Amino acid sequence: MLVAETIVPTQPASLRDRIDEVSTRLILRGATGLASVDFELLGQSAQEQGNDLVAAIARDLSRQIAEASSSDQTDLTRILSGGLVRMQALLKEPAVAATVESISVEPSEKTASQIQANAAIQSLSADMDLIREFVTESLEHLSTIEGQVLILEKNNTAAETLNSIFRAFHTIKGLAGFLEFADVQALAHEVETLLDLARTARLTVTSQVVDVVLESTDVLRQELHGIEIRLGGNIPPPSRINESLLLKIRKVSRGEVEQSGNTAGAPVASSISPEGSGKIATAPPAERRIEVGRSSDSSSSVRIDTAKLDQLMDMVGEMVIAQTLIEHSPALSMVQDVRFLKDLTHLARITSDVQRITTGMRMVPIGTQMQKTARLVRDLSRRAKKEIVLETFGEDTELDKTIAEELADPLLHMVRNSIDHGIEPPEERIALGKNPTARIRIAAYHQSGQIVVEISDDGRGLNREKILAKAQQNGLVQSGTQLTDNEIFLLIFEAGFSTADKVTDISGRGVGMDVVRKHVQKLRGRIDIQSEQGKGTTFYLKLPLTLAIIEGLVIVVGDQRYIVPIYSTKEILRPKAEMLSTVQGRGEMAMVHDTLLPIVRLHRRFEMKPRTTSLADGMLVVVESEGRQFCLFVDEVTGKQEVVIKSLGESFKNIPGIAGCAILGDGRVGLILDMDGISNGRS
Amino acid sequence: MRKAVLLVDDSAMMRKVVSRTLKMAGLEFEQVLEAGDGAEALTCLRDNNVELIMCDINMPVMNGLELLQRIKEENLAVGVPIVMVTTEGSEPQVRQAILAGAKGYIRKPFSADHIKNSVTPLLAP
């Protein structure tokens, strides 16, 4: 039964073409790409052809554009695309539903189904929300795929693993078909075909198969990001989906099929190890993720825009503060009513529950970030010709979504660094009496209100003397300075620092570790290092559980109070006269533990009248920013407090030295200081 | 307005797409029930009466063909048209599905017109 034959253009092509042209512009550029006059013209030509219905719709749409405010573009896009589809449908009528036998199998001719598909699909492919959802869901599928492929590499006959990878590509292909992303559809189709051969045992999963699947995953991910960029109204980088990639996949599937008669298609597990390349041991919890996209998202979860979550978080912060204000209100001491006081306690409990749950809503398991490193270890260990096993622990440890995302880069950099610098080549390891297969271990856990991520390797360890010598040579450290091991090791995070004798394509350019520190500091975290020469190195990343609340030191200057984040303070001291000096060209300095630190007078920085201008009468807070220490001169330090960070709004958000504000216990506002800004502002 | 439809697919978004396309083809249901695999679909069918089942074939836990088998065995959804929705659809697979009790078979991506032609006639007017 060929339904396509029932579609006969009943109108001159020009009107249909014009409607199609307008639809295309809507899809490409959104509602902003169209003006009211476009539909006016459509209406006119429909009228001329005597198609009153189409003309009416066009005029209606023209009016909608004229009346729409610039804020509701998404709604307008939806209305316009709906209207255009109606017009297209009207022009296609009469598409009489042909009589169908009890079983109807659709024609497989591409042309027939495509012609037909056009009208309805157009409205799907013009729906920005749907496309956005497609991107999100497909990206999730891709990370599932990556994890599964690495499991597959270990056990190339794992049927359910193969099947779940197949299904993920299958779904991406299907959805791409509906939304008319032909390139995505084509690539997913090729990989799907390849995997189909594998799961029906017509193809052995070799390392080539794994490579090509991973490569396709990368290309698809880039393509999806491209779609996202296009949605944002920008031009994405050119697509990497091309005929040669498709051919390559086809070759892999065909080549292996031909060889399956003989023994050439050696299975992965045995083909990798002899080359001395990477093997990945992912901990069992990954199995859990096979089921991604199933029941959990069908009924028990809802996707929420993170902006909404942030807003909720913000409002909950306000609520907690309001609650504190009531609790500390002097009026409360007059209240005798026991019942009222009891209700108040109840309210306080509910408030803290709400706060806890809201914070929890932003939490995601760290496992996804660990999976990314698994992929990196696999690729890099092959390139560096080192045998490495990656062990991960605590994938279920939850942390704030933003922190988790920001953590991805530092984690990758550090693992990369371990592979390149830390781990010796197998021959060297054997000579040292070590196991030729090196071990990288990533563990995540909660410790006293913080998340700790440990990255350790059993490589050569950091060379204390070499680092110190290099640092002195670069002028990062004056000779004779006493430093602890940790302090010396932390020097590797300085910009431009690299002890690698030669630069490889993996690392050693002195970038990377510097980036790691920046990222971690941005997240208000810190890094510690333990290392033993010849035995290995462990990095400890310590991060806060949430970015919404910080622990701060409340300081007073004049009649103002400020908050200095605890993570950037080192020490508080009352200066003695003999500590203070003035150094030509560098201003006032304080000698703290044999180190000369510059003093920043906060009252000068913010042009205020302090209680005292004499250094000996105030306090010095030693702070650190971007690895440099300096002293803040303040009137007084009044205590430590947890505060909810609030933004200062659009107009004040870029004041150097101020990170935001917080409402203090008594309801007054305190400004939160940003040490990087203050450090850069001092001259 | 028709009563209820059951959409079985392991991709939540695909279920949404199918539901939207049904609507575009003029098939509106008061209730759209969703299941992520065959097993969920079975549970759903034991508790609900539906007028139409749109079902993917390749799904985890229990695939579409197994689901058809089980529906038959348990005597569920008697007289309710089951339409298989799939990207594949080789001749033997189509036959297998039909022998197992499917009443329709459509390929992704499909349009509202495909639904009008292949699904609407299966339903009571």
Side-chain angles (χ1 to χ4, degrees), chain A residues 81-96:
Chain A
S81 74
L84 283 166
V85 171
R86 280 212 309 280
M87 289 195 262
Q88 281 163 334
L90 280 171
L91 289 182
K92 269 185 194 160
E93 292 289 332
V96 214

Side-chain angles (χ1 to χ4, degrees), chain A residues 3 100 102-104 106 116-117 120 123 127 130 133-134 137 166-167 170-171 178 199 293-295 298, chain B residues 10-11 13 15-17 20 24 37 40 58 60 87-88 98 103 105 107 110-112 114 117-118 122:
Chain A
V3 253
V100 197
S102 63
I103 294 300
S104 48
E106 284 303 327
Q116 260 201 322
S123 72
D127 185 327
L130 211 56
E133 226 172 287
F134 162 70
E137 185 178 313
F166 171 82
R167 248 188 334 260
H170 178 78
T171 306
F178 275 103
R199 79 187 174 131
R294 256 197 67 250
S295 48
S298 67
Chain B
D10 55 329
S11 156
M13 205 184 142
R15 295 195 297 266
K16 194 179 209 175
V17 167
R20 292 266 293 263
M24 283 191 273
D37 60 57
E40 281 182 24
N58 193 330
T87 359
E88 293 141 279
I98 289 163
K103 283 277 174 276
Y105 203 104
R107 278 197 193 86
F110 50 83
S111 71
H114 288 99
N117 288 319
S118 319
L122 300 175

Side-chain angles (χ1 to χ4, degrees), chain A residues 66-83:
Chain A
E67 285 169 6
S69 66
S70 58
S71 57
D72 46 32
Q73 288 296 326
T74 357
D75 280 341
L76 187 60
T77 308
R78 207 170 295 146
I79 293 168
L80 294 181
S81 74

